[in-house]
């Protein structure tokens, strides 16, 4: 009898233990379901119903109920009450914030750290500077609007090996025709070349984007696409594509700009021509540049200075790399509010479908090796008065309409040839940015940079050799210049230098 009683009690105790264990297991399952539901972060106010271990999400037709927490900014999204319904329990939880504003703020913060253009290159933010997402968002909107205006619809797109994207744009849709005085017009036919000019056009490849064998179709022009990174590198959106404003003395020294140039003045000039070899000088600061070019100048060197410029340049700020690139520039008020590089504003009218202004030049000269030079000519069309540009061996690139200018509407009063760098002294001493090849003029051919066959265009559209040439080197211990003349190169000069050295502290 006692054994039966003990067996019955043992069985009851075991059943009770199993039941308790089962209840604990069921409670754990319920807790896990609750935790799983709480970890869900819906993007909208949703009702979640759990039926037979499956969760069905149904968008609620009821209006969203929102609350405004005291500790959140009024500009952020308010919290949303989300109702969770299961077969076992009903509960509420608060969605603390919307994911979209959070991602936007994070993007702005990363952009702020990534692009130094949000501040001046030599004025760093103080330690207690506060990030203002609303201001940066406004700036990004302005950048996108500017890009939409600048980058025209492309008929064809070409990816260059140097990272550039070249858009083939219909010629009558190029930026020049945004100008009120050019709206509705089309590019003009080529003018008469100056007398004494070789009318032989050699089809050569001078730029890296053509290495793939692709080209823009007839009736279009190649334009290097501008990106948001290009604009954000500039000191401001308004100044993008423009040279820094500076005081000018014969387009020479001032505000850190240093030159080694030759020039002629005192007469009326209607054009300039030269050949110059191409290098890839080292530029040691993102906000400095090194260039070699010719200038067509008129005005008093005050606020009414007019210039037309063309050549090659290395400018990390403008292009984001250290390739030598073919460029143009113009201004009619001493670099203040008018003009720009290349096709970054309405002005220069391009007519050629083989040359992309602003694209990298290839090949380049090498020290003690092969020398590669390009031809440049700017002259005034006697018939319409526009200033035309020729590049390479007879390729007409386009023209600057005469109405863009005041003094240059009639003629130039000075022509200038040579090199220019920017010395920002960001490290407290003279820059090591190179001019030309980075070697002094005295090293001569194969080592130093040169200009050869310097000529002018006179009032009767004749090409003539230069006379009464003046030499100018702002800091000859940093960059110097030497002139010469012979029967092969005509009037020529060597120029350039390394920048900082023992004689240029």
């Amino acid at each position: 009898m006692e054994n039966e009683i003990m067996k019955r009690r043992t069985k009851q105790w075991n059943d009770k233990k199993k039941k308790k264990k089962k209840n604990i297991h069921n409670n754990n399952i319920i807790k896990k379901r609750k935790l799983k539901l709480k970890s869900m972060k819906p993007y909208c106010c949703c009702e979640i119903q759990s039926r037979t271990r499956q969760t069905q999400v149904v968008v609620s037709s009821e209006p969203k109920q929102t609350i405004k927490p005291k500790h959140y900014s009024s500009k952020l999204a308010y919290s949303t009450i989300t109702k969770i319904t299961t077969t076992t329990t009903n509960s509420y939880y608060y969605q603390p914030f919307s994911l979209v504003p959070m991602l936007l703020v994070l993007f702005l913060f990363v952009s702020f750290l990534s692009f130094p253009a949000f501040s001046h290159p030599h004025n760093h933010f103080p330690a207690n500077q506060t990030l203002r997402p609303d201001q940066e968002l406004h700036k990004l909107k302005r950048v996108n609007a500017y890009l939409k205006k600048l980058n025209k619809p492309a008929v064809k797109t070409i990816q260059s090996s140097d990272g550039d994207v070249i858009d083939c744009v219909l010629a009558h849709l190029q930026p020049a025709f945004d100008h009120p005085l050019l709206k509705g017009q089309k590019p003009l036919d080529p003018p008469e070349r100056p007398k004494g000019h070789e009318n032989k056009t050699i089809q050569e490849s001078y730029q890296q984007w053509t290495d793939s064998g692709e080209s823009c179709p007839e009736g279009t022009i190649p334009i290097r696409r501008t990106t948001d990174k290009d604009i954000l590198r500039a000191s401001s959106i308004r100044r993008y594509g423009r040279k820094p404003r500076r005081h000018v003395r014969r387009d020479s020294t001032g505000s850190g700009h240093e030159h080694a140039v030759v020039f002629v003045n005192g007469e009326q000039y209607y054009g300039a021509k030269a050949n110059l070899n191409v290098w890839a000088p080292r530029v040691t600061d993102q906000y400095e540049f090194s260039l070699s070019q010719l200038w067509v100048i008129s005005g008093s060197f005050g606020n009414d200075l007019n210039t037309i410029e063309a050549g090659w340049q290395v400018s990390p700020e403008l292009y984001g790399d250290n390739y030598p690139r073919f460029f143009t520039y113009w201004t009619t008020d001493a670099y203040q509010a008018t003009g720009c590089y290349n096709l970054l504003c309405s002005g220069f009218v391009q007519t050629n479908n083989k040359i992309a202004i602003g694209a990298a030049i290839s090949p380049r000269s090498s020290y003690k090796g092969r020398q590669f030079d390009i031809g440049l000519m700017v002259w005034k069309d006697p018939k319409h008065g526009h200033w035309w540009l020729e590049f390479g061996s007879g390729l007409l690139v386009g023209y600057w309409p005469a109405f863009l200018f005041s003094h240059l509407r009639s003629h130039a009063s000075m022509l200038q040839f040579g090199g220019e760098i920017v010395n920002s002294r960001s490290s407290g001493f003279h820059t090591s940015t190179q001019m030309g090849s980075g070697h002094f003029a005295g090293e001569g051919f194969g080592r130093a940079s040169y200009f050869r066959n310097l000529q002018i265009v006179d009032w009767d559209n004749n090409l003539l050799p230069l006379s009464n040439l003046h030499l100018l080197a702002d800091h000859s211990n940093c960059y110097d210049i030497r002139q010469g003349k012979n029967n092969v190169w005509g009037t020529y000069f060597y120029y350039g230098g390394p920048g900082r050295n023992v004689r240029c502290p």
Side-chain angles (χ1 to χ4, degrees), residues 36-331:
K36 186 175 181 180
L37 289 171
K38 287 186 177 181
S39 65
M40 298 174 63
K41 295 184 179 180
Y43 290 95
C44 62
C45 184
C46 302
E47 183 179 342
I48 304 178
Q49 298 178 342
S50 176
R51 295 178 181 173
T52 61
R53 296 185 181 180
Q54 293 183 355
T55 302
Q56 181 180 8
V57 180
V58 182
V59 178
S60 174
S61 60
E62 299 176 359
K64 298 178 184 179
Q65 181 181 357
T66 61
I67 62 172
K68 182 177 180 181
K70 294 181 179 179
H71 58 283
Y72 285 158
S73 168
S74 60
K75 293 184 179 181
L76 297 177
Y78 299 144
S79 301
T80 303
I81 299 178
T82 305
K83 183 179 180 181
I84 309 296
T85 305
T86 70
T87 56
T88 57
T89 184
N90 292 335
S91 61
Y92 292 84
Y93 74 92
Y94 292 101
Q95 182 182 345
F97 47 81
S98 174
L99 187 60
V100 174
M102 179 185 178
L103 290 177
L104 180 59
V105 172
L106 181 61
F107 170 75
L108 291 173
F109 181 71
V110 172
S111 300
F112 180 83
L113 294 179
S114 301
F115 300 112
F118 284 121
S119 64
H120 190 276
H122 307 302
N123 291 333
H124 301 290
F125 283 107
N128 61 350
Q129 181 78 25
T130 302
L131 177 66
R132 303 182 185 276
D134 53 339
Q135 293 182 3
E136 304 310 332
L137 180 59
H138 177 66
K139 182 169 185 175
L140 288 175
K141 287 181 178 178
R142 289 178 58 205
V143 168
N144 289 330
Y146 185 69
L147 286 172
K148 187 175 180 180
K149 177 182 178 182
L150 196 59
N151 292 322
K152 305 299 183 181
V155 173
K156 180 182 178 181
T157 298
I158 301 172
Q159 182 70 51
S160 176
S161 59
D162 56 16
D164 283 351
V165 176
I166 304 299
D167 290 326
C168 301
V169 177
L170 291 173
H172 66 279
L173 296 180
Q174 64 181 288
F177 295 106
D178 291 339
H179 196 287
L181 296 180
L182 288 174
K183 278 191 178 295
Q185 298 186 30
K186 293 184 178 180
L188 297 175
D189 293 330
E192 178 186 353
R193 302 292 215 287
K195 301 164 189 171
H197 178 270
E198 294 183 6
N199 293 322
K200 182 173 65 174
T201 301
I202 302 175
Q203 299 295 333
E204 295 180 272
S205 174
Y206 296 102
Q207 296 188 309
Q208 204 160 323
W209 69 275
T210 62
D211 290 349
S212 64
E214 292 193 83
S215 61
C216 285
E218 292 293 333
T220 69
I221 64 166
I223 302 180
R224 178 183 180 270
R225 183 183 297 176
T226 303
T227 68
D228 54 351
K229 292 182 180 179
D230 292 332
I231 299 175
L232 291 171
R233 281 193 304 268
S235 59
S236 69
I237 297 175
R238 189 176 62 85
R239 294 300 304 174
Y240 172 67
R242 296 179 179 176
K243 284 188 178 181
R245 286 171 291 188
R246 55 195 170 91
H247 298 292
V248 182
R249 177 173 62 82
R250 288 178 179 164
D251 199 35
S252 185
T253 186
S255 300
H257 291 248
E258 298 181 18
H259 300 72
V261 296
V262 302
F263 65 91
V264 292
N265 59 359
E267 298 182 21
Q268 295 182 359
Y269 305 100
Y270 295 83
K273 186 178 185 294
N275 286 73
L276 59 157
N277 61 344
V278 180
W279 297 84
R282 182 181 67 251
V283 175
T284 58
D285 188 288
Q286 179 180 349
Y287 299 97
E288 297 179 346
F289 64 68
S290 180
L291 59 77
S292 297
Q293 67 173 63
L294 61 82
W295 291 259
V296 177
I297 305 170
S298 190
S300 63
F301 292 93
N303 292 334
D304 64 341
L305 181 72
N306 289 200
T307 74
I308 288 174
E309 307 169 28
W312 61 262
Q313 68 177 164
V314 174
S315 176
E317 179 184 6
L318 187 59
Y319 304 107
D321 55 39
N322 288 279
Y323 296 124
R325 294 171 176 272
F326 172 53
F327 82 96
T328 62
Y329 199 90
W330 68 275
T331 181

Side-chain angles (χ1 to χ4, degrees), residues 363-478:
R364 301 143 196 165
S365 300
S366 59
Y367 187 70
K368 296 183 181 180
R370 182 191 175 204
Q371 302 301 294
F372 174 75
D373 65 26
I374 57 174
L376 289 175
M377 181 169 69
V378 175
W379 84 102
K380 190 175 180 62
D381 172 19
K383 184 176 181 180
H384 297 102
H386 306 314
W387 292 89
W388 281 78
L389 171 64
E390 182 183 278
F391 174 77
S393 301
L395 292 173
L396 277 182
V397 182
Y399 59 93
W400 291 270
F403 65 74
L404 294 175
F405 306 100
S406 52
H407 299 289
L408 280 176
R409 192 170 297 191
S410 54
H411 61 269
S413 57
M414 174 183 287
L415 303 176
Q416 186 167 284
F417 310 79
E420 176 185 354
I421 64 96
V422 170
N423 174 27
S424 65
R425 301 186 68 89
S426 58
S427 301
F429 41 76
H430 194 284
T431 182
S432 296
T433 288
Q434 298 174 332
M435 180 187 293
S437 67
H439 295 264
F440 286 112
E443 295 194 37
F445 183 78
R447 296 170 173 83
S449 301
Y450 64 79
F451 276 67
R452 63 181 177 89
N453 293 326
L454 272 64
Q455 295 175 288
I456 65 168
V457 180
D458 70 1
W459 64 273
D460 197 27
N461 206 31
N462 294 304
L463 269 173
L464 303 173
L466 267 71
S467 59
N468 301 321
L469 202 60
H470 305 279
L471 276 69
L472 174 67
D474 296 328
H475 296 88
S476 58
N477 289 332
C478 309

